[in-house]
Amino acid sequence: MSEQSGPQDAPGPEQPRPPELSGIDLARQALVAAKEQARARGAAAQQKKQARRGGGLRSGARADGRDPLPLGAAINRLITERGWETPAAVGGVMGRWPQLVGQEVAQHCEPQKYDEDARVLTVQCDSTAWATQLRLLAPTLVARLNEDLGHGSVKMIKVLGPGGPPRRYGSLRAPGSRGPGDTYG
């Protein structure tokens, strides 16, 4: 086996030459090139025009993420993006308390706060009798709240009795006295 070294670039009689364009073929090729250049100029002009208007694409005929939203939909989207579903739902419970527990219970007991980490709803009652009654109703109320808010939203209801009168300090008080504790305990 021997290798031959020689000029490989020289055209031989076997290699065909491309045909020369003339007439209509030349006109077609020029038209295609002109269309490409016009298309490129048009795209550049469109980009300049958008840059003058503030840049970026504009919303078209179909809905997309840039379209304005109704206020309620925008708030719902924000709540979902931030992960505020449970606190917002429990906040709604504060406003709908009479519908959830009934008018009679709502007159004597009102929700105070919600601890999101422990999932505990704190409710204060205006008398010890109503506090006792609400403690007995707590499992039923937790089930009703979880049905409305989603499973596991409220694990426990912490019931507070009524707040007593402010402590008065003075010479006529016994040290360590808490006031009328039998009524406000």
Side-chain angles (χ1 to χ4, degrees):
M1 290 193 160
S2 67
E3 292 183 27
Q4 295 181 356
S5 62
Q8 306 243 348
D9 295 336
E14 294 89 19
Q15 291 181 347
R17 298 177 85 197
E20 299 268 335
L21 297 178
S22 65
I24 190 100
D25 294 329
L26 191 57
R28 282 185 185 146
Q29 189 177 19
L31 179 63
V32 168
K35 283 182 178 180
E36 287 295 321
Q37 290 175 351
R39 207 174 285 129
R41 279 194 312 270
Q46 182 68 20
Q47 288 175 348
K48 283 183 184 178
K49 190 175 181 182
Q50 287 177 351
R52 280 192 302 258
R53 283 191 283 167
L57 297 172
R58 297 285 188 239
S59 180
R62 291 181 176 67
D64 64 6
R66 298 168 291 167
D67 287 339
L69 297 173
L71 183 61
I75 289 174
N76 287 338
R77 184 170 153 186
L78 179 69
I79 287 172
T80 303
E81 287 173 357
R82 302 287 171 114
W84 295 338
E85 290 95 355
T86 302
V90 173
V93 165
M94 305 288 189
R96 294 181 296 128
W97 184 251
Q99 289 86 17
L100 292 171
V101 297
Q103 285 293 335
E104 188 176 3
V105 175
Q107 288 175 350
H108 299 284
C109 307
E110 70 177 57
Q112 296 294 312
K113 64 180 179 177
Y114 175 71
D115 183 8
E116 185 178 357
D117 297 329
R119 299 187 186 266
V120 175
L121 179 66
T122 303
V123 179
Q124 185 165 19
C125 299
D126 61 0
S127 70
T128 54
W130 276 103
T132 303
Q133 182 68 25
L134 196 63
R135 284 186 189 104
L136 294 172
L137 291 174
T140 306
L141 192 56
V142 167
R144 187 180 303 167
L145 290 171
N146 282 332
E147 180 182 310
D148 190 52
L149 302 173
H151 183 69
S153 297
V154 178
K155 290 185 178 178
M156 186 176 90
I157 295 179
K158 182 179 178 182
V159 180
L160 302 176
R167 289 177 97 176
R168 291 182 269 156
Y169 297 98
S171 59
L172 298 177
R173 301 279 172 228
S177 171
R178 297 180 65 192
D182 59 332
T183 308
Y184 297 97

